[in-house]
């Protein structure tokens, strides 16, 4: 698993990258009550706003971590946004994207580097 | 009410206890206050609606007024009936300015030989200055208490919990005030609060506050609750937050608070007017205000927060108002908001649109409160 400074995690699954937010991010946001996911098939560029999440406290934007195409989104978390607090690094992933160049992940933080980043 | 730098923040006498209970602390009205504890805002909200929650509201201003012709004198600052407030009773009020806007909202309690007033933290210096300027020339003393904490125990279990410490609280009705011994201290107790639930507000000497709170928290029915849930609770209850839903430009009539202006202070009453801005308040009561505070239920799940602009059409149309408080209502299980709209758009059920991230989202004018009040009248 790789991590961004925006507190997203990325997991390579075949030729797709699964993206979600970290336990740390979910904890900081507090109880999540709303999530808006991008449309499947949307082409995104790195740092483009792709997901809106709102907790009881505030709204936050989630940025695309890489250039690519959104191929699948996790609809159940739209119906039950609280799942994101329960299992942010597992069942409550946000979207899967098809990425041209997986080598961009090499520069991202691994788990140890992310732990240092948030401590 | 911007967050202050942590090193400039004042603390309440319960500060250490908040930290020990794992609270997340934030700056609020110049104080370091708990925004949530380990339960989190959502569960703290539901805890208060189903059992009992304990809130530290010691940042609020507790003021004692004492002197001759006290009620008459205070009526020159507020449009409510102070003279008719019976001993042992409390009443909601607001300070108005010359333009008929609201400078702060407050509680006034008649405690026999004096009045006990509770004002908002962010306004307390200004409120004390206002009362001193108006009341001291008449021989009235205005004393801001620094030696007492204030806690609120709110929720359907509040009576049973507090009665274990002091059975006499069972006999109190909504808005009664009494001096009662609790946990060995002389407490000033009122049956009131700001959550829409039954409950009590307890003024306790600083020296006894930590023991009182610790002893209330040993009860399995009680959890400490932060400002986050306090905000969602009062919003669902349709109660205004000063600085957001009320401000110096907003009149009590626009705010839908004319219920708090008793007959005797209205245009044809025995003690009509005589407070700052009475001409505007009376005119708006007679002719109707140009805009009104309303409840708002956004469609879908997206919360509409303070500042969201409201329109009367999905495309084009006119700007008709804005949200002043909004978020997710844990008991309603959906987004709730309140705001001000032009009078023509204020009828219950009116379809409006709020602009969220560049998109207009449907929202309906709704009845307040969003949840029924649990007061023991």
């Amino acid at each position: 698993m790789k991590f961004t400074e925006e507190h997203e995690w990325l997991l390579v699954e075949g030729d797709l990258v699964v993206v979600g937010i970290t336990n740390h991010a979910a904890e900081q946001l507090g109880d999540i009550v709303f999530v808006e996911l991008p449309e499947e098939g949307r082409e995104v560029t790195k740092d483009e706003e792709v997901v809106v999440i709102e907790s009881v406290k505030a709204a936050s934007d989630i940025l695309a971590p890489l250039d690519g195409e959104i191929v699948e989104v996790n609809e159940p978390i739209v119906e039950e946004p609280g799942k994101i607090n329960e299992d942010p690094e597992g069942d409550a992933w946000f979207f899967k994207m098809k990425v041209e160049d997986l080598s961009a992940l090499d520069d991202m933080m691994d788990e140890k580097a992310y732990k240092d980043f948030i401590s | 009410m911007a967050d202050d730098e942590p090193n400039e923040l004042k603390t309440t006498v319960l500060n250490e206890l908040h930290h020990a209970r794992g609270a997340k602390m934030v700056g609020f009205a110049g104080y370091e206050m708990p925004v949530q504890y380990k339960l989190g805002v959502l569960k703290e909200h539901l805890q208060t609606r189903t059992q009992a929650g304990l809130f530290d509201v010691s940042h609020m201003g507790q003021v004692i007024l004492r002197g001759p012709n006290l009620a008459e004198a205070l009526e020159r600052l507020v449009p409510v009936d102070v003279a008719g407030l019976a001993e042992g009773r409390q009443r909601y009020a607001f300070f108005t300015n010359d333009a008929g806007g609201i400078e702060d909202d407050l509680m006034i309690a008649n405690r026999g030989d004096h009045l006990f007033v509770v004002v908002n933290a962010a306004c307390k210096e200004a409120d004390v200055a206002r009362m001193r300027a108006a009341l001291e020339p008449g021989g009235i003393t205005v004393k801001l208490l620094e030696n007492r904490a204030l806690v609120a125990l709110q929720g359907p279990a509040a009576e049973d919990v507090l009665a274990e410490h002091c059975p006499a609280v069972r006999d109190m009705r909504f808005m009664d005030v009494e001096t009662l011994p609790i946990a060995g201290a002389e407490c000033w107790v009122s049956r009131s609060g700001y959550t829409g639930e039954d409950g009590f507000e307890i003024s306790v000497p600083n020296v006894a506050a930590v023991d009182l709170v610790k002893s209330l928290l040993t009860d399995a029915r009680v959890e400490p609750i932060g400002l986050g849930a306090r905000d969602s609770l009062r919003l669902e209850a349709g109660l205004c937050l000063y600085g957001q839903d009320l401000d110096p430009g907003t009149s009590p009539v626009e705010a839908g608070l004319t219920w708090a202006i008793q007959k005797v202070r209205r245009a044809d009453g025995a003690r009509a007017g005589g407070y700052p801005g009475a001409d505007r308040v009376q005119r708006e009561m007679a002719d109707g205000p140009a805009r009104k505070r309303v409840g708002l239920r956004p469609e879908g799940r997206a919360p509409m927060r303070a500042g969201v602009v409201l329109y009367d059409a999905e495309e084009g149309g006119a700007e008709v108002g804005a949200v002043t408080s909004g978020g997710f209502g844990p008991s309603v299980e959906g987004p709730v908001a309140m705001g001000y709209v032009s009078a023509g758009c204020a009828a219950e059920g009116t379809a409006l649109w709020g602009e969220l991230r560049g998109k207009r989202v449907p929202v309906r004018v709704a009845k307040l409160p969003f949840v029924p009040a649990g007061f023991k009248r």
Side-chain angles (χ1 to χ4, degrees):
Chain A
M1 206 179 257
K2 292 285 193 174
F3 298 87
T4 72
E5 293 191 358
E6 306 290 327
H7 306 286
E8 291 152 293
W9 56 263
L10 293 83
L11 185 66
V12 178
E13 199 182 79
D15 62 344
L16 299 180
V17 177
V18 191
V19 180
I21 59 167
T22 64
N23 285 316
H24 173 76
E27 210 169 280
Q28 292 298 311
L29 287 164
D31 304 299
I32 293 164
V33 295
F34 172 75
V35 58
E36 190 174 80
L37 297 171
E39 292 198 359
E40 290 174 356
R42 180 170 146 194
E43 295 281 347
V44 297
T45 53
K46 186 175 182 303
D47 295 339
E48 185 179 329
E49 291 167 9
V50 285
V51 174
V52 176
I53 52 179
E54 298 221 18
S55 73
V56 284
K57 293 177 215 159
S60 328
D61 296 315
I62 303 297
L63 310 179
L66 300 160
D67 295 349
E69 181 194 346
I70 306 289
V71 294
E72 191 183 342
V73 297
N74 190 5
E75 287 294 344
I77 64 170
V78 176
E79 290 306 309
E80 277 187 74
K83 284 176 183 284
I84 300 167
N85 295 106
E86 285 161 26
D87 194 10
E89 295 187 12
D91 276 351
W93 53 276
F94 282 11
F95 54 84
K96 297 180 182 181
M97 59 191 298
K98 192 180 271 175
V99 175
E100 291 288 310
D101 181 13
L102 281 175
S103 71
L105 269 81
D106 298 343
D107 301 332
M108 289 183 183
M109 291 180 277
D110 61 13
E111 191 168 354
K112 185 184 175 305
Y114 179 69
K115 274 198 175 140
D116 290 342
F117 175 69
I118 59 175
S119 65
Chain B
M1 225 179 293
D3 286 1
D4 305 79
E5 289 299 313
N7 57 2
E8 295 171 357
L9 295 176
K10 290 181 268 189
T11 56
T12 75
V13 72
L14 299 171
N15 188 270
E16 264 180 54
L17 193 59
H18 299 316
H19 284 279
R21 298 285 302 213
K24 261 188 209 166
M25 305 296 284
V26 296
F28 181 81
Y31 284 80
E32 186 189 68
M33 297 300 288
V35 67
Q36 66 168 80
Y37 298 82
K38 286 176 186 159
L39 274 186
V41 177
L42 207 69
K43 289 196 179 110
E44 288 173 23
H45 176 115
L46 297 172
Q47 164 75 25
T48 309
R49 289 262 184 263
T50 54
Q51 294 264 39
L54 188 64
F55 302 75
D56 178 11
V57 285
S58 305
H59 56 314
M60 297 184 83
Q62 304 181 65
V63 183
I64 290 203
L65 308 178
R66 220 180 264 277
N69 306 316
L70 185 51
E72 290 172 329
L74 189 57
E75 283 191 1
R76 290 200 288 274
L77 297 177
V78 299
V80 312
D81 178 11
V82 184
L85 181 64
E87 183 174 341
R89 295 288 292 162
Q90 174 177 276
R91 163 166 288 172
Y92 179 69
F94 23 84
F95 293 118
T96 50
N97 56 34
D98 290 338
I102 298 172
E103 290 289 316
D104 194 11
D105 60 345
L106 64 147
M107 284 290 184
I108 302 170
N110 180 349
R111 290 183 31 86
D113 63 351
H114 66 275
L115 293 177
F116 177 53
V117 168
V118 178
V119 299
N120 281 304
C123 305
K124 66 184 174 187
E125 269 86 31
D127 290 340
V128 166
R130 171 181 303 107
M131 289 190 279
R132 288 206 168 122
L135 306 178
E136 280 181 348
I140 292 164
T141 58
V142 177
K143 191 175 174 196
L144 177 64
L145 302 181
E146 306 285 356
N147 61 346
R148 296 187 80 90
L150 191 63
V151 297
L153 181 66
Q154 301 279 293
E159 180 187 286
D160 287 342
V161 169
L162 200 56
E164 287 191 12
H165 299 265
C166 179
V169 299
R170 290 198 190 278
D171 300 327
M172 296 177 75
R173 290 180 303 133
F174 183 56
M175 292 295 212
D176 277 353
V177 294
E178 263 191 75
T179 300
L180 294 168
I182 302 177
E186 184 199 289
C187 293
W188 305 342
V189 181
S190 66
R191 191 153 197 168
S192 55
Y194 220 61
T195 59
E197 295 301 318
D198 180 31
F200 301 87
E201 291 171 296
I202 306 163
S203 171
V204 53
N206 279 340
V207 290
V210 172
D211 284 349
L212 169 67
V213 166
K214 278 186 177 166
S215 121
L216 290 171
L217 288 175
T218 58
D219 195 306
R221 294 165 291 189
V222 182
E223 288 288 339
I225 311 295
L227 291 175
R230 185 171 169 81
D231 193 48
S232 56
L233 287 159
R234 69 93 197 162
L235 172 59
E236 282 186 344
L239 299 167
C240 295
L241 177 61
Y242 191 79
Q244 258 179 244
D245 309 301
L246 306 175
D247 62 37
T250 301
S251 80
V253 189
E254 291 174 325
L257 299 176
T258 50
W259 59 267
I261 305 176
Q262 288 76 21
K263 256 190 180 157
V264 70
R265 303 299 312 276
R266 296 188 183 189
D268 45 3
R271 297 194 310 285
Y275 55 89
D279 50 344
R280 174 180 174 194
V281 173
Q282 288 178 353
R283 189 177 63 243
E284 288 184 358
M285 282 180 82
D287 304 341
R291 57 183 196 128
K292 288 182 179 171
R293 181 172 64 95
V294 294
L296 297 161
R297 279 298 308 268
E299 283 180 23
R301 288 171 180 274
M304 284 188 191
R305 298 181 194 273
V308 167
V309 176
L310 300 166
Y311 296 87
D312 62 0
E314 190 165 9
E315 277 176 63
E319 193 179 314
V320 296
V323 172
T324 50
S325 281
F328 181 79
S331 304
V332 172
E333 297 182 325
V336 288
M338 61 170 102
Y340 285 82
V341 298
S342 50
C345 296
E348 200 182 318
T350 304
L352 300 173
W353 285 262
E355 193 159 279
L356 283 183
R357 296 175 275 272
K359 275 184 288 189
R360 290 198 190 170
V361 176
V363 53
R364 236 166 238 290
V365 175
K367 201 176 168 185
L368 291 174
F370 296 107
V371 294
F375 307 140
K376 292 280 162 68
R377 294 192 192 268

